[in-house]
């Protein structure tokens, strides 16, 4: 069987939609009594730990020869973008490098990953604070005279309830969040990766829900472009082994790509750059045939320098980082090669989804070519850290794309497990992210018990099965995350109405 070929018929209102990756590198799950081939896109999340001074971190990373900010700089010879991309001095990989100067892997990770610009993900449902968070990030990029990349991952019913489930509680609240997000964008060039998987993955939505999502993405695009005329907005193009180019073009048209600058591909996969470029040309041709011209592609090259392999890179040792991020693509159809999914952040099958794992980063970088040694920008990076408000540290409304750290709670010393709870509360509802950590021995199965406050009720659950919806609720593992290696973690979450639970949770192994 070939990758990307679907053997499952979706409901007729979805047309000929297909799912990502086929056996033997995919697992299956059940959605509305239809078995579908499972695509995994993990939410990269940002740590809620106190951020260090950006000046200290930059100094630590810049200690190696020719690292500084080793970007491919200069005017693009083909696409519509030119200039250097912004490297976030407070990303998870930069923090790890600064905190581990003596680790044998540090030099490789520092020189080939931490030195490079990567997307900052915004996926926490935080309408009251998102504007200031965005404004701080944009301000730092503007001060460095570089182009920031922002990945928005907040659409309602994100990931169809999978490992990266969550998003805004409803589409009205989604538009409120997007409006506040857009107010922080300033007026200089920014790159917006708008809602990964939102158009390629529609299997869980009814016809009316698909129409509502399309309208929501159209409105979000127009809102962002209205707030900042220099914003470059790209919609979800899936990837070359998922939907056909014609099908994806139809979905892009329905979601208002005519108002955007183009589309992005390969965030949820590891396909070759040449294969993605060919796929992009086919989409552009299809769009042109529909009367929609002038659209460009951006390709995620963060992890496509080696084998394709199974959906989860946590235990894969033959993947490598791909082409270094740049706007100088040499291809008139491609605006940029970007690192949207930060290299070294887990996919969720072995480590907590979104957590930075130095072993993964080292595996991706070891043996990969060195980055181009262009001169650092003449304008010094800002000496103060970007805002300390971090996107979620969980899979539900989280910032995905990108970066949490493993739980700071000390694993149990015995053979059991512990559970820690993080709650994101809004008026009338909440999401809770729960991290389950094994003790000094592997466990095969777990049950987490959480008491809910009076009036609170669970409305949806991901990566676990719930017994009950109110009062004391028991959550048990599902088939793919019951086994946890010693001192490793997995994550599940749930959304509810009312007030979220406190930090109290008990875990029992077996």
């Amino acid at each position: 069987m070939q990758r990307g070929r679907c053997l499952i018929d979706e409901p007729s209102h979805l047309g000929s939609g297909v799912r990502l990756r086929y056996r033997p590198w995919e697992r299956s799950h059940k959605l509305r009594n239809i078995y579908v081939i499972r695509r995994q896109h993990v939410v990269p999340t940002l740590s809620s730990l106190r951020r260090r001074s950006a000046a200290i971190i930059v100094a630590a990373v810049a200690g190696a020869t020719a690292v500084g900010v080793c970007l491919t700089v200069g005017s693009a010879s083909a696409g519509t973008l030119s200039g250097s991309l912004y490297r976030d001095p407070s990303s998870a990989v930069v923090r790890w490098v600064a905190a581990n100067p003596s680790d044998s892997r540090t030099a490789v990770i520092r020189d080939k990953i931490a030195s490079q610009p990567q997307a900052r993900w915004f996926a926490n449902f935080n309408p009251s604070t998102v504007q200031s968070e965005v404004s701080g990030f944009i301000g730092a990029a503007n001060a460095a005279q570089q182009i920031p990349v922002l990945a928005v991952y907040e659409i309602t019913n994100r990931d169809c309830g999978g490992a990266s489930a969550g998003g805004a509680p409803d589409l009205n609240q989604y538009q409120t969040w997007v409006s506040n997000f857009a107010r922080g964008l300033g007026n200089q060039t920014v790159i917006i990766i708008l809602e990964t998987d939102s158009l390629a993955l529609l299997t869980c939505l009814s016809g009316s829900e698909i129409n509502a999502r399309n309208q929501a993405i159209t409105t979000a695009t127009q809102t962002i472009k209205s707030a900042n005329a220099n914003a470059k907005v790209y919609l979800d193009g899936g990837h070359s082994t998922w939907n056909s180019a014609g099908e994806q073009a139809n979905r892009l048209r329905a979601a208002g790509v005519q108002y955007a600058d183009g589309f992005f591909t390969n965030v949820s996969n590891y396909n070759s750059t040449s294969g993605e470029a060919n796929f992009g040309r086919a989409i552009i041709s299809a769009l042109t045939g529909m009367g929609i011209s002038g659209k460009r592609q951006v390709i995620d090259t963060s992890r496509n320098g080696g084998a394709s392999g199974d959906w989860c890179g946590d235990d894969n040792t033959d993947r490598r980082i791909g082409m270094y991020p740049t706007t100088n693509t040499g291809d008139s159809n491609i605006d940029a090669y970007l690192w949207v999914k930060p290299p070294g952040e887990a996919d969720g099958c072995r480590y907590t989804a979104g957590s930075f794992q130095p072993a993964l980063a080292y595996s991706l970088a070891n043996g990969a070519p060195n980055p181009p040694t262009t001169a650092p920008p003449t304008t010094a990076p800002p000496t103060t850290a970007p805002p300390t408000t971090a996107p979620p540290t969980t899979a539900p409304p989280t910032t995905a794309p990108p970066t949490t750290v493993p739980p700071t709670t000390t694993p149990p010393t015995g053979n059991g497990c512990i559970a820690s709870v993080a709650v994101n509360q809004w008026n009338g509802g909440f999401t809770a992210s729960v991290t389950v950590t094994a003790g000094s021995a592997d466990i095969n199965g777990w049950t987490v018990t959480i008491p809910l406050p009076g009036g609170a009720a669970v409305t949806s659950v991901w990566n676990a099965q719930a017994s009950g919806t109110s009062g004391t609720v028991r959550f048990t593992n599902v088939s793919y995350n019951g086994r946890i290696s010693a001192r490793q973690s997995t994550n599940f979450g749930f959304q509810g109405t009312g007030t979220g639970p406190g930090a109290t949770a008990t875990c029992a192994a077996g």
Side-chain angles (χ1 to χ4, degrees):
M1 305 284 182
Q2 290 183 316
R3 293 185 66 191
R5 297 284 180 88
C6 183
L7 299 183
I8 309 303
D9 292 328
E10 294 180 333
S12 59
H13 63 265
L14 297 179
S16 58
V18 295
R19 293 304 308 267
L20 183 59
R21 301 176 213 138
Y22 197 64
R23 68 176 180 86
W25 49 86
E26 288 296 320
R27 65 168 181 258
S28 296
H29 72 164
K30 207 171 188 180
L31 291 176
R32 296 194 175 187
N33 299 318
I34 301 172
Y35 279 102
V36 295
I37 305 306
R38 179 75 188 114
R39 177 215 36 86
Q40 174 71 17
H41 170 71
V42 175
V43 181
T45 53
L46 290 176
S47 170
S48 60
L49 297 177
R50 183 181 61 189
R51 300 187 184 275
R52 300 172 185 268
S53 164
I56 295 174
I57 295 173
V58 168
V61 174
T65 303
V67 174
V69 181
C70 295
L71 311 176
T72 302
V73 186
S75 59
S77 60
T80 64
L81 284 168
S82 63
S84 63
L85 299 166
Y86 178 59
R87 172 190 160 278
D88 183 359
S90 63
S91 66
V93 63
V94 173
R95 293 197 307 271
W96 183 87
V97 165
N100 296 275
S102 300
D103 193 292
S104 62
R105 301 164 295 185
T106 294
V108 170
I109 295 173
R110 176 194 62 209
D111 294 353
K112 298 180 181 181
I113 296 180
S115 66
Q116 298 303 303
Q118 302 164 39
R120 167 79 75 90
W121 286 68
F122 293 82
N124 190 18
F125 185 67
N126 54 347
S128 64
T129 60
V130 65
Q131 179 179 345
S132 61
E133 182 180 347
V134 172
S135 180
F137 182 66
I138 294 295
N142 290 346
Q145 298 182 1
Q146 295 174 327
I147 303 170
V149 180
L150 296 80
V152 173
Y153 197 49
E154 194 59 55
I155 194 71
T156 303
N157 203 2
R158 183 176 67 208
D159 199 35
C160 278
S164 298
D170 57 58
L171 292 176
N172 288 331
Q173 294 186 71
Y174 174 71
Q175 295 302 343
T176 299
W177 186 93
V178 169
S179 295
N180 294 342
F181 169 89
R183 291 189 186 101
L185 291 174
N187 58 10
Q188 298 188 35
T189 301
V190 299
I191 297 173
I192 307 296
I193 304 299
L194 188 61
E195 302 298 354
T196 296
D197 297 342
S198 62
L199 303 180
L201 176 60
L202 297 174
T203 47
C204 64
L205 303 180
S206 67
S208 61
E209 288 170 332
I210 291 172
N211 291 336
R213 173 172 288 190
N214 288 336
Q215 183 57 56
I217 291 174
T218 299
T219 302
T221 301
Q222 294 172 320
T223 298
I224 291 169
K225 299 287 277 186
S226 177
N228 180 353
N230 291 313
K232 306 285 284 186
V233 181
Y234 301 88
L235 305 188
D236 176 37
H239 61 76
S240 60
T241 53
W242 200 344
N243 300 310
S244 69
E247 173 64 22
Q248 199 62 38
N250 283 329
R251 297 185 185 196
L252 285 163
R253 177 179 61 175
V257 74
Q258 59 267 37
Y259 304 111
D261 295 273
F263 56 92
F264 59 88
T265 70
N266 216 33
V267 176
S268 294
N269 214 305
Y270 319 92
N271 297 316
S272 69
T273 301
S274 61
E276 290 301 298
N278 289 334
F279 179 60
R281 280 189 283 273
I283 290 179
I284 290 170
S285 176
L287 290 173
T288 301
M290 300 172 188
I292 301 173
S293 59
K295 303 308 169 187
R296 301 295 196 277
Q297 178 187 18
V298 296
I299 301 174
D300 188 350
T301 60
S302 61
R303 303 183 297 172
N304 72 340
S308 295
D310 58 30
W311 68 265
C312 185
D314 290 9
D315 53 3
N316 188 298
T317 59
D318 55 2
R319 289 212 180 96
R320 296 293 180 270
I321 53 175
M323 190 175 297
Y324 285 101
T326 182
T327 60
N328 190 5
T329 66
D331 188 321
S332 60
N333 291 319
I334 301 174
D335 275 348
Y337 301 124
L338 302 177
W339 283 8
V340 181
K341 169 70 176 179
E345 294 191 1
D347 285 329
C349 60
R350 181 177 179 184
Y351 306 103
T352 302
S355 64
F356 176 77
Q357 298 293 335
L360 299 182
Y362 182 76
S363 179
L364 285 166
N366 190 34
N370 289 318
T373 55
T374 55
T378 55
T379 301
T383 57
T384 57
T388 57
T389 303
T393 57
T394 68
T398 62
T399 57
T403 53
T404 53
V405 295
T408 55
T409 304
T410 303
T413 56
N415 296 333
C417 58
I418 60 170
S420 59
V421 184
V423 175
N424 179 37
Q425 183 75 49
W426 62 84
N427 186 23
F430 66 91
T431 57
S433 173
V434 185
T435 299
V436 180
T437 304
S440 57
D442 296 357
I443 62 173
N444 190 12
W446 46 263
T447 299
V448 173
T449 303
I450 300 176
L452 297 181
V458 174
T459 57
S460 63
V461 181
W462 47 92
N463 296 341
Q465 295 177 323
S467 175
T469 59
S470 60
T472 299
V473 181
R474 290 161 54 90
F475 300 87
T476 56
N477 62 276
V478 288
S479 60
Y480 55 82
N481 65 358
R483 183 170 181 80
I484 308 176
S485 299
R487 302 189 182 280
Q488 298 300 324
S489 302
T490 191
N491 181 273
F492 74 90
F494 57 96
Q495 185 163 316
T497 57
T499 302
T504 303
T506 59
C507 184

